[in-house]
Amino acid sequence: MKINNKQNVRKTLSWIIVLILLDVLVFLGMIMFDIKKKMLLLIPLLFFFFFVWRILSIRVFNIEITEYILVIKYHHPVSNDLHPVLELPMSEIYDCLIENSMNMIFFKVAINKRDKYRTFCYRLDVINQDQLILLQKVAHSIVKRDKQVNAI
């Protein structure tokens, strides 16, 4: 099963680019109409830097879940090279959790390797509700299966 947010990122990037163009037009209009107040000129610049920061921070993720392996890949929308960030067998997964905090969604994977526990946290940037529900079901089934295997 594959879960990715490529289409959502494309839509978000196109909206951000439209907003950047509108912001630049507003800024140029303020300069053309000779608005000298520094605070009014500062507002479009702040919006511009916020939009550029958002473009730089957005990531496309690809979560591949098979019967035996979990693979999480990240890349920036401009580059097309997917690099595996996490690739591990399902037998090492101790817990999976999807957490909402501060208006962001995080996918947390706790692994147990040689009686040492580690937690990996990945930000899921723009994910639609259907994909989120599917990922929650899969995470729940991974944890449930792991507890059944440990009980045997």
Side-chain angles (χ1 to χ4, degrees):
M1 170 185 316
K2 289 185 179 182
I3 299 173
N4 65 15
N5 65 342
K6 191 177 239 180
Q7 290 180 342
N8 296 338
V9 168
R10 284 184 186 157
K11 290 176 188 176
T12 303
L13 280 178
S14 60
W15 277 108
I16 289 174
I17 290 172
V18 167
L19 290 173
I20 285 176
L21 291 174
L22 286 174
D23 188 50
V24 168
L25 287 175
V26 167
F27 184 71
L28 291 175
M30 291 173 82
I31 291 174
M32 284 178 35
F33 289 121
D34 201 29
I35 296 176
K36 300 277 185 185
K37 294 194 178 196
K38 291 181 181 178
M39 288 302 288
L40 287 178
L41 289 176
L42 188 64
I43 293 171
L45 285 175
L46 289 175
F47 276 111
F48 177 78
F49 287 124
F50 172 75
F51 292 141
V52 169
W53 169 78
R54 186 67 183 131
I55 285 176
L56 292 175
S57 68
I58 199 165
R59 294 283 181 259
V60 175
F61 68 85
N62 188 3
I63 300 174
E64 297 177 21
I65 302 167
T66 64
E67 189 175 342
Y68 301 107
I69 296 176
L70 170 73
V71 179
I72 299 175
K73 299 177 182 177
Y74 266 126
H75 73 93
H76 193 270
V78 177
S79 68
N80 285 329
D81 51 335
L82 283 171
H83 297 292
V85 180
L86 181 69
E87 186 171 348
L88 65 126
M90 291 291 208
S91 60
E92 292 182 3
I93 296 176
Y94 177 72
D95 195 13
C96 285
L97 180 67
I98 296 172
E99 186 176 289
N100 293 331
S101 64
M102 294 186 343
N103 204 10
M104 284 193 253
I105 301 171
F106 293 99
F107 181 58
K108 294 184 178 183
V109 179
I111 65 170
N112 180 10
K113 195 171 191 178
R114 298 185 198 118
D115 293 329
K116 292 182 181 178
Y117 293 96
R118 287 188 175 167
T119 303
F120 296 97
C121 184
Y122 301 100
R123 190 178 78 207
L124 305 179
D125 267 336
V126 283
I127 184 170
N128 63 20
Q129 198 65 29
D130 296 335
Q131 290 176 332
L132 186 63
I133 291 170
L134 181 64
L135 189 59
Q136 285 175 339
K137 287 180 183 178
V138 169
H140 180 69
S141 68
I142 289 171
V143 172
K144 185 178 174 184
R145 183 179 64 187
D146 184 51
K147 289 182 181 176
Q148 288 176 350
V149 169
N150 288 339
I152 295 174

